Amino acid sequence: MLLDETPLFDPRFLQELDWSQNTASFSPVISPLNPGEGLVLRPLCTADFNRGFFKVLSQLTEVGEVTPEQFIKKFEHMKKSGDYYSVVVEDTGLGHIVATATLIIEHKFIHSCAKRGRVEEVVVSDACRGKQLGKLLMSVLTLLSKKLGCYKITLECLPKNVAFYEKFGYSSSAEVYMQKRFLD
Ligand code: 16G
């Protein structure tokens, strides 16, 4: 098994987004096709394993020890399902991943067999704060979920991040997020 540049999902999903529907404002102006000097926004690929993908994720939570084989196996499972849209921003000069976020499509019987979007693992590397990359990723995934026909999109976040997510039209739900943890 080799690490390569095969994208997790068709990059046209990002290229063909209707950016005019974006609700967040950017100053200076950036977009999915122009995320900033020396940066590209694209689907995750397995070669990102050696570009510090896990280092970025480790700024959000515990990532554990993951081998390239485990990563490839998980990637292939996600790719085959067609429901995982992990987006990365790469600093092409350094060859480092500097930000990532994932949209997962969950299939329902309710709401006429609808789809629900879930935003997960939104992380911008400490070194790249202030470049509006979190805002860019959230705008991209929110638009993408709408384009894919989701009836709603949800996420879990710390109270201190609520104001950030409100910029994209998210609001706190009357429902409470509950969990039972089997591992920390
Ligand atoms: C945050 C993340 C979630 C991630 C979780 C990990 C966003 C919007 N939310 O809630 O996606 O799975 O942290 O926390 O990025 P855990 O390691 O405690 O499960």
Side-chain angles (χ1 to χ4, degrees):
M1 284 199 283
L2 287 175
L3 299 167
D4 66 25
E5 308 292 332
T6 308
L8 180 61
F9 62 92
D10 190 334
R12 279 176 298 185
F13 280 109
L14 300 177
Q15 291 151 8
E16 293 168 5
L17 280 181
D18 182 0
W19 194 239
S20 69
Q21 286 189 32
N22 161 55
T23 55
S25 57
F26 291 89
S27 172
V29 172
I30 57 169
S31 67
L33 298 180
N34 291 298
E37 198 172 341
L39 302 174
V40 291
L41 183 149
R42 56 168 175 77
L44 177 73
C45 65
T46 52
D48 293 333
F49 185 85
N50 288 332
R51 297 187 182 115
F53 177 60
F54 279 91
K55 200 171 164 210
V56 174
L57 286 179
S58 72
Q59 294 186 26
L60 175 72
T61 189
E62 174 66 41
V63 292
E65 292 290 317
V66 178
T67 64
E69 290 71 24
Q70 287 172 313
F71 178 58
I72 291 170
K73 205 171 161 200
K74 187 66 79 172
F75 180 96
E76 284 175 351
H77 174 86
M78 291 178 176
K79 185 170 172 62
K80 202 169 154 205
S81 82
D83 292 321
Y84 288 81
Y85 297 83
S86 296
V87 177
V88 294
V89 178
E90 181 188 352
D91 179 322
T92 49
L94 296 172
H96 289 166
I97 301 305
V98 295
T100 182
T102 294
L103 168 68
I104 303 170
I105 305 299
E106 182 178 290
H107 296 272
K108 301 282 196 185
F109 289 119
I110 59 170
H111 294 284
S112 310
C113 290
K115 290 187 270 190
R116 167 187 181 161
R118 290 182 181 268
V119 176
E120 297 282 355
E121 282 89 53
V122 180
V123 205
V124 177
S125 151
D126 283 339
C128 261
R129 294 276 156 82
K131 294 189 175 177
Q132 309 178 97
L133 298 179
K135 207 162 35 159
L136 184 63
L137 287 168
M138 275 307 296
S139 299
V140 163
L141 295 189
T142 305
L143 285 178
L144 181 56
S145 70
K146 193 170 174 211
K147 186 172 171 182
L148 292 171
C150 294
Y151 84 101
K152 70 175 180 183
I153 180 163
T154 63
L155 59 85
E156 289 102 43
C157 70
L158 294 172
K160 69 174 173 125
N161 293 330
V162 165
F164 171 72
Y165 290 110
E166 283 175 343
K167 290 182 191 150
F168 314 96
Y170 293 70
S171 55
S172 300
S173 163
E175 292 188 352
V176 173
Y177 169 63
M178 294 179 70
Q179 65 171 349
K180 175 178 166 81
R181 297 188 81 103
F182 298 102
L183 290 171
D184 281 332

